[in-house]
Amino acid sequence: MPLLQSKFTFDNRFVNNLPADQEAEKFTRQVYNAAYSFVMPTKVAAPKIIAIDEALANELGFEDNDLSDPLFSDVVAGNAILDGMAPYAMNYGGHQFGNWAGQLGDGRAINLGELVTPEGEHRILQLKGAGITPYSRSGDGLAVLRSSVREFLCSQAMEHLGIATTKALSLSLTGEDVMRDIMYNGNAALEPGAVVCRVSSSFTRFGHFQLPAFRQDTELLKALADHTIAADFPHLLEKRESSQDEAIEKETYLRWFEEVCQRTCKMVIGWQRVGFVHGVMNTDNMSIVGETIDYGPYGWIDDFDVNFTPNTTDRQHKRYRFGTQGEIAQWNLFQLANAIYPLVEEAQPLEALLNQFADDYQLGWREMMAQKLGLESYQEAEDLTLFESLEAILSLVETDMSIFYRKLAQLDLSHDLSDSSTWLPTLHSAYYEQDELSDTYLSQMSAWLVKWKNRVSKENRTDELRVSQMNRVNPKYVLRNYLSQQAIDAAQQGDYSEIHRLQKLLRHPYDEQPEFEDYAKKRPDWARNKVGCSMLSCSS
């Protein structure tokens, strides 16, 4: 038996603790009274790994020589499974763009198994693009290289930015082409197929609880909640006075929901800090453990715009725009609260926790903004006006969000900032159109900078401490859409070097990395209206 086949332990708790679909055939259908369906990945013609996260592989227990084993390549593309794996697709529902969509489920994602790492932690290996499942609806269960590169790289980017995320172990070509209509405009074409091996402690979503609640299947709802608490929030059970064998009490469900709210709050504030727009915050795309999940039509803020959404499907209503991600998170949590109500049977404590989320988010956003501006702490009396007035000014002309905050740290506060000639040479690279910088604008920005300088000076900290703080929270490098697209264009021609270069760059987004200076520049004009750079769809 190959060493790779026998060296790992799998403890498939989701499968062992929850009811399975009794239908063995792989055809699309409504699945009742079951949390998942056993399903094998569809084998592909010629699997080839083109990118891998070696550090993550080592954390999971793979040694360097394992990664060159042909069996490893087969496993992460779906052509083989290791002993102990029990592949399955998960059953869940959700709200999509505010409307109940019924059963959704893993239409092209298949969990291979729950690996026990050398540190004793559980990590699920999941293949995205692994073929038809009972939840594929009218889809083919496959994924293309274009979307898979974006998933792989953004998982890497978010991790190193310090924002909770599912991770990507590997990116593989399948050796097969897949038909896709990239902009849903009737221009379908063949694209290279690919599979991403994702990793997380849990791929459970808000929608897992919504579907049995909608179907009034309280038994399955309770089983899912109990399993989730035991597997992903075990510290909540340690606080109970009663035996582990006894039924989970209402108070434990409430503490669980409270923690889900807290994790979600922290995650979304992290998005706002770095200018990330998820693009499709449906309830089936919300992780119960507070991780960023499902990197589809996401985007990064280039010129600051609270109304920006990269998703063409959402262009008209802009439901999931940058400035409303906190509100949408609360709306999604409200749907989760509705779903778990049968376990609590009391509305008031759930409503109180939802209201607490709103308070926590507002305070968390303000504290985050204080950090971005180099303030040691948030002061209620004056800082909110400072923050809101800055965002208003940034919206007046096209101002690159990442560059502005990074360059702001470089301003010499010994200068008279009321004179634009003292600050414009430092900040000019953040502006997309220099001719937009009217005298009126320069006067407004100067006035704001003076207020900011005065606020900073009240804390009597050294410039060195302030700059260090700002550079720890304001990344120099983010995964701008055009950078991803350049890597995709090269990869589609068989050149994967740009993927590897971005991997290296994104490991240290807060560092100067002068060798990568060109990657910190603002979006070039050619990318302003290019598909994949400014316009993205759910086609993947």
Side-chain angles (χ1 to χ4, degrees):
M1 176 182 294
L3 178 61
L4 186 62
Q5 182 67 275
S6 60
K7 70 184 293 185
F8 293 104
T9 299
F10 290 89
D11 179 18
N12 302 308
R13 298 174 297 177
F14 194 90
V15 166
N16 295 336
N17 296 340
L18 295 166
D21 176 15
Q22 297 303 303
E23 174 59 65
E25 295 299 318
K26 192 195 302 186
F27 63 93
T28 58
R29 59 188 181 275
Q30 291 292 304
V31 176
Y32 294 91
N33 309 117
Y36 62 92
S37 302
F38 286 113
V39 57
M40 293 293 291
T42 300
K43 292 188 176 182
V44 301
K48 176 184 177 181
I49 297 174
I50 60 173
I52 190 166
D53 185 336
E54 295 180 355
L56 176 58
N58 294 155
E59 289 176 16
L60 295 173
F62 293 98
E63 298 176 10
D64 291 345
N65 61 321
D66 293 331
L67 306 184
S68 58
D69 189 326
L71 180 57
F72 178 81
S73 180
D74 281 339
V75 169
V76 297
N79 276 17
I81 62 170
L82 300 178
D83 289 345
M85 288 180 169
Y88 64 96
M90 304 171 89
N91 185 18
Y92 50 84
H95 281 83
Q96 297 193 323
F97 296 96
N99 300 303
W100 176 245
Q103 177 183 294
L104 297 166
D106 285 335
R108 57 178 175 162
I110 295 176
N111 293 339
L112 295 178
E114 198 166 349
L115 177 70
V116 180
T117 72
E119 299 299 319
E121 298 176 329
H122 288 71
R123 293 293 181 268
I124 299 169
L125 306 183
Q126 181 188 85
L127 302 185
K128 186 173 182 178
I132 290 285
T133 78
Y135 312 102
S136 297
R137 291 166 283 167
S138 59
D140 58 17
L142 305 177
V144 296
L145 178 61
R146 163 176 49 85
S147 61
S148 300
V149 168
R150 286 172 51 81
E151 170 100 26
F152 181 82
L153 288 176
C154 203
S155 301
Q156 306 264 303
M158 294 297 271
E159 176 187 0
H160 296 295
L161 285 165
I163 299 169
T165 179
T166 58
K167 298 181 181 181
L169 172 61
S170 62
L171 168 61
S172 302
L173 291 172
T174 64
E176 301 171 357
D177 289 334
V178 179
M179 185 68 71
R180 286 291 183 269
D181 184 348
I182 185 172
M183 295 304 294
Y184 300 125
N185 58 5
N187 294 314
L190 290 172
E191 299 185 47
V195 174
V196 175
C197 182
R198 305 198 294 189
V199 178
S200 178
S201 61
S202 174
F203 286 99
T204 303
R205 306 148 185 270
F206 289 10
H208 275 88
F209 307 94
Q210 288 184 276
L211 185 60
F214 176 79
R215 290 173 169 174
Q216 298 184 333
D217 186 350
T218 306
E219 182 179 355
L220 178 56
L221 172 65
K222 185 178 187 308
L224 278 163
D226 291 359
H227 165 76
T228 299
I229 291 171
D232 303 314
F233 301 80
H235 53 282
L236 297 179
L237 298 181
E238 294 171 2
K239 295 179 180 179
R240 294 192 305 166
E241 296 180 0
S242 56
S243 166
Q244 293 268 344
D245 296 329
E246 293 181 10
I248 292 179
E249 300 168 343
K250 177 180 72 174
E251 288 73 18
T252 302
Y253 293 124
L254 288 171
R255 287 199 300 271
W256 167 55
F257 181 66
E258 179 181 23
E259 187 162 336
V260 173
C261 290
Q262 291 169 346
R263 293 189 187 191
T264 302
C265 181
K266 181 179 179 181
M267 174 187 72
V268 178
I269 289 172
W271 296 353
Q272 302 302 113
R273 174 173 62 82
V274 301
F276 175 78
V277 189
H278 186 279
V280 59
M281 288 178 68
N282 297 330
T283 57
D284 59 299
N285 294 336
M286 297 292 292
S287 162
I288 204 68
V289 295
E291 292 181 343
T292 314
I293 191 172
D294 290 341
Y295 292 100
Y298 67 83
W300 298 81
I301 292 288
D302 289 315
D303 52 297
F304 182 83
D305 179 3
V306 293
N307 292 315
F308 171 71
T309 177
N311 187 355
T312 55
T313 309
D314 196 26
R315 279 290 172 89
Q316 181 179 357
H317 300 292
K318 296 183 182 293
R319 175 180 175 83
Y320 297 141
R321 62 191 182 275
F322 177 61
T324 61
Q325 291 187 125
E327 296 172 31
I328 292 298
Q330 185 186 30
W331 191 92
N332 289 342
L333 287 163
F334 181 82
Q335 307 312 316
L336 177 61
N338 281 339
I340 66 172
Y341 174 80
L343 307 179
V344 178
E345 296 183 318
E346 191 176 353
Q348 191 279 327
L350 292 169
E351 292 172 354
L353 291 172
L354 289 167
N355 291 334
Q356 185 62 50
F357 171 87
D359 293 341
D360 290 346
Y361 183 83
Q362 289 181 13
L363 179 58
W365 181 85
R366 295 169 187 178
E367 291 176 340
M368 174 270 290
M369 285 296 294
Q371 290 289 305
K372 286 180 73 68
L373 293 177
L375 305 178
E376 190 171 15
S377 61
Y378 166 70
Q379 300 297 323
E380 184 77 37
E382 55 185 321
D383 290 349
L384 181 58
T385 300
L386 187 72
F387 304 158
E388 292 178 340
S389 60
L390 173 61
E391 292 205 334
I393 294 171
L394 291 179
S395 300
L396 293 175
V397 301
E398 284 190 287
T399 310
D400 191 280
M401 176 179 169
S402 297
I403 296 175
F404 175 84
Y405 281 106
R406 192 75 180 191
K407 292 293 185 179
L408 186 66
Q410 298 177 14
L411 286 182
D412 186 343
L413 299 192
S414 68
H415 290 165
D416 177 9
L417 298 183
S418 65
D419 181 352
S420 63
S421 66
T422 64
W423 59 261
L424 189 54
T426 302
L427 297 183
H428 76 93
S429 61
Y431 295 110
Y432 281 88
E433 301 291 342
Q434 298 291 325
D435 58 6
E436 291 183 342
L437 305 181
S438 65
D439 289 343
T440 300
Y441 172 82
L442 294 175
S443 177
Q444 288 177 296
M445 180 56 83
S446 293
W448 183 88
L449 288 169
V450 169
K451 292 177 182 177
W452 170 66
K453 173 184 172 179
N454 291 338
R455 174 65 181 86
V456 169
S457 65
K458 289 181 180 180
E459 296 187 334
N460 295 316
R461 288 202 300 166
T462 65
D463 286 344
E464 183 180 10
L465 281 175
R466 173 182 57 82
V467 171
S468 176
Q469 173 186 308
M470 295 177 74
N471 286 343
R472 287 197 304 270
V473 297
N474 296 316
K476 180 175 180 178
Y477 300 97
V478 294
L479 185 63
R480 297 175 184 271
N481 294 342
Y482 85 89
L483 296 177
S484 293
Q485 191 58 45
Q486 288 178 324
I488 291 166
D489 291 343
Q492 289 176 332
Q493 301 303 314
D495 178 1
Y496 313 116
S497 61
E498 194 64 18
I499 296 175
H500 303 151
R501 193 171 295 112
L502 286 171
Q503 272 189 272
K504 183 178 180 181
L505 161 71
L506 294 169
R507 291 190 188 108
H508 305 284
Y510 301 101
D511 294 352
E512 286 298 324
Q513 300 189 85
E515 70 273 26
F516 293 119
E517 192 68 32
D518 285 347
Y519 290 81
K521 293 180 178 178
K522 57 181 175 282
R523 178 200 62 222
D525 286 342
W526 62 259
R528 180 180 292 272
N529 297 307
K530 180 179 173 62
V531 173
C533 298
S534 61
M535 297 180 291
L536 296 152
S537 75
C538 295
S539 171
S540 55

